Amino acid sequence: MKYKRILLKLSGESLMGEKKYGIDPAILQQYAEEIKKVKDMGVEIAIVIGGGNIFRGVQAEKSGIDRVQGDYMGMLATLINAMALQSALEQIGLYTRLMSGIKIESVCEPFIRRRAIRHLEKGRIVIFGAGIGNPYFTTDSTAALRAIEIESDVVLKGTRVDGVYTADPEKDATATKYQNITFTEVYEKNLNVMDMTAFTLCQENNLPIIVFDMNKSENLAKLAKGEQIGTLITV
Ligand code: UDP
């Protein structure tokens, strides 16, 4: 295996599938099965999941809700997704732990770095819910921070697009994909990979990011084996 320990970032929106809101159970099951393939290869897996399919803090301001309050609502939304994913993983026989950035003791454990690492060593899939627990951050930043804390080898950012393109491929037919790109080139070309806080954290800590299409079967397993899929971003 190319990687011993990975951190997989899934957006909340990806869980919607064809729906306009919420969680599509078929997608959840599909993701759980893709994750199991990698687990069965002996890779340690941590997951950060977003909440954009339910609520985002920026949305709150538009509807007259205080921004900070909205961010906490967004963090709770990520926990709903995390609980759904945890259930889907357990239904196919995987051992999991859900750790939250906000204390919510009757539902899951709080995030404790050493405990998270111990869970991974014991073969449990660890899901990090509720972001980092602070407003004005995103789950991309959570993914970067937690990956560094647990000494993950890489951040795998699963999206609907199969990598980083010269322009948005959903809008521009002439857009071409990068196989490899450096952090500096991403800044210079003003490409959109992750928010800047997350991106800078990865760069400063020499943590590679791979952007790939999570909806294509076997992609995650191929990445774990070291195949070139999506776009690899390195220092
Ligand atoms: N959020 C936050 N702090 C965090 C992580 C998330 O305040 O550490 C809030 C923020 O409002 C964000 C929402 O939770 O909009 C949902 O997360 P995100 O937008 O990153 O989800 P995704 O786009 O990945 O679905």
Side-chain angles (χ1 to χ4, degrees):
M1 283 308 114
K2 169 137 191 203
Y3 302 111
K4 182 176 178 288
R5 182 175 293 164
I6 61 170
L7 188 138
L8 173 65
K9 161 75 207 304
L10 297 172
S11 74
E13 273 179 6
S14 66
L15 293 187
M16 291 195 296
E18 297 302 310
K19 294 167 70 168
K20 289 207 159 54
Y21 179 83
I23 301 170
D24 178 348
I27 295 277
L28 211 53
Q29 199 185 338
Q30 182 190 323
Y31 284 0
E33 276 157 15
E34 296 300 323
I35 292 163
K36 185 173 190 302
K37 285 177 200 161
V38 179
K39 183 72 242 169
D40 290 346
M41 294 171 180
V43 179
E44 295 176 5
I45 308 168
I47 304 170
V48 169
I49 188 145
N53 55 325
I54 301 172
F55 200 83
R56 280 209 174 93
V58 279
Q59 221 172 295
E61 280 183 319
K62 287 183 207 142
S63 48
I65 299 171
D66 172 72
R67 167 67 199 262
V68 173
Q69 184 88 334
D71 278 341
Y72 280 104
M73 291 166 72
M75 286 185 259
L76 293 180
T78 74
L79 263 184
I80 292 176
N81 288 333
M83 290 169 74
L85 183 64
Q86 178 177 36
S87 175
L89 292 169
E90 286 182 340
Q91 268 163 26
I92 55 171
L94 296 169
Y95 295 96
T96 68
R97 288 291 185 274
L98 170 55
M99 301 189 117
S100 173
I102 296 174
K103 274 194 190 164
I104 178 160
E105 279 145 32
S106 43
V107 176
C108 56
E109 297 176 19
F111 171 71
I112 297 169
R113 175 178 170 264
R114 283 170 185 276
R115 193 183 275 181
I117 292 172
R118 194 76 193 112
H119 286 322
L120 291 166
E121 287 168 352
K122 285 188 174 172
R124 295 166 186 148
I125 295 174
V126 179
I127 308 170
F128 298 121
I132 61 170
N134 290 313
Y136 292 102
F137 286 90
T138 64
T139 48
D140 276 353
S141 293
T142 310
L145 179 63
R146 295 291 185 246
I148 295 161
E149 288 182 279
I150 62 163
E151 293 168 13
S152 173
D153 299 321
V154 64
V155 173
L156 302 178
K157 182 168 157 117
T159 66
R160 290 180 303 176
V161 185
D162 65 341
V164 180
Y165 279 75
T166 50
D168 184 347
E170 287 177 355
K171 290 180 191 145
D172 183 348
T174 64
T176 53
K177 191 177 104 183
Y178 295 99
Q179 288 222 309
N180 296 287
I181 189 164
T182 64
F183 283 93
T184 312
E185 281 174 299
V186 170
Y187 283 121
E188 281 168 4
K189 296 183 190 336
N190 204 14
L191 301 170
N192 187 15
V193 175
M194 280 182 168
D195 67 78
M196 277 303 146
T197 310
F199 196 72
T200 309
L201 259 180
C202 292
Q203 183 186 28
E204 286 178 351
N205 291 280
N206 196 8
L207 176 66
I209 306 168
I210 299 176
V211 179
F212 74 104
D213 181 358
M214 179 67 192
N215 291 326
K216 197 157 171 223
S217 179
E218 300 292 331
N219 263 0
L220 189 61
K222 285 180 183 167
L223 276 174
K225 285 185 208 150
E227 279 184 45
Q228 169 92 52
I229 305 268
T231 301
L232 170 66
I233 303 146
T234 49
V235 173

